[in-house]
Amino acid sequence: QVQVVESGGGFVQPGGSLRLSCAASGSIFSIYTMGWYRQAPGKQRELVATITNIPSTNYADSVKGRFTISRGNAKNTVSLQMNSLKPEDTAAYYCYGLIKTGSGTRPTDYWGQGTQVTVSS
């Protein structure tokens, strides 16, 4: 079993900052990629940012220059620093990890339950 748990969401005014954190735990053999997606009401889930174990990063155009993704030293944690937040950033943010649970298994996506970010004046 693998668990992915997010924390750090909340309410912030436009222009403010929030930091999201995520930790994967359980029967983990290796983690290839971790990242963040978000889903606003009535919209599809969309990529925010990902980071591999090289590490290399990938960002949605809408957050480039404002958000920064980073992995922890233990490699099973990932954070998302969000600056200059806009009302359109309001969404449920989901952490995920591309994780192998054994040497003979295929990497599988594991998702957290999500944390709400609301940007409003």
Side-chain angles (χ1 to χ4, degrees):
Q1 289 280 12
V2 174
Q3 297 80 41
V4 176
V5 179
E6 308 99 335
S7 62
F11 182 94
V12 65
Q13 292 185 336
S17 298
L18 280 176
R19 185 177 181 86
L20 304 182
S21 298
C22 171
S25 62
S27 301
I28 296 172
F29 179 78
S30 60
I31 301 177
Y32 291 88
T33 300
M34 296 190 78
W36 295 91
Y37 280 68
R38 67 187 181 187
Q39 187 167 20
K43 294 187 177 182
Q44 290 189 329
R45 190 173 294 190
E46 63 176 6
L47 178 144
V48 177
T50 60
I51 183 167
T52 71
N53 56 5
I54 297 177
S56 66
T57 58
N58 181 45
Y59 294 92
D61 288 343
S62 59
V63 306
K64 283 181 181 177
R66 301 188 298 122
F67 292 11
T68 302
I69 190 170
S70 59
R71 292 276 289 267
N73 289 334
K75 304 303 181 186
N76 66 322
T77 61
V78 64
S79 297
L80 185 70
Q81 178 65 42
M82 304 185 294
N83 299 328
S84 301
L85 282 161
K86 304 175 182 180
E88 50 263 44
D89 294 317
T90 296
Y93 283 69
Y94 296 89
C95 177
Y96 96 101
L98 182 60
I99 297 171
K100 288 183 67 170
T101 57
S103 59
T105 64
R106 293 183 177 180
T108 303
D109 286 342
Y110 290 89
W111 293 87
Q113 294 297 309
T115 185
Q116 180 66 34
V117 172
T118 302
V119 185
S120 177
S121 56

